[in-house]
Amino acid sequence: MLNFWDSEAGMLAAVAAGALLLAAIAWVGDLRRTRRQRPDDVGIVPWGPLFLAALGIAGLSGFVALQYWLATV
């Protein structure tokens, strides 16, 4: 049997995990920005759209990885 991480499903699962990590970092960054006294004074990173994009990529690649994995089982 082929190693999971050597398959397309494994590569897509790794992309999903990385995107989830990025989404978590963006969520914490946005949370820190909103708790400041003046949230729009400092920072150039658009945390909200970055979070949504990373979460969308994680969901899509995770779904496709699951489909690939189910096709091989």
Side-chain angles (χ1 to χ4, degrees), residues 2-71:
L2 190 64
N3 188 4
F4 176 74
W5 297 108
D6 292 335
S7 66
E8 291 179 6
M11 287 186 275
L12 283 169
V15 169
L20 274 176
L21 179 64
L22 179 62
I25 291 169
W27 178 67
V28 169
D30 192 45
L31 187 65
R32 288 183 66 210
R33 185 190 65 83
T34 56
R35 290 187 178 184
R36 290 187 190 136
Q37 292 292 329
R38 297 184 314 208
D40 293 329
D41 279 354
V42 180
I44 59 170
V45 178
W47 294 113
L50 182 64
F51 169 75
L52 289 176
L55 195 61
I57 290 169
L60 183 63
S61 60
F63 176 74
V64 174
L66 182 65
Q67 294 298 317
Y68 274 130
W69 181 69
L70 289 175

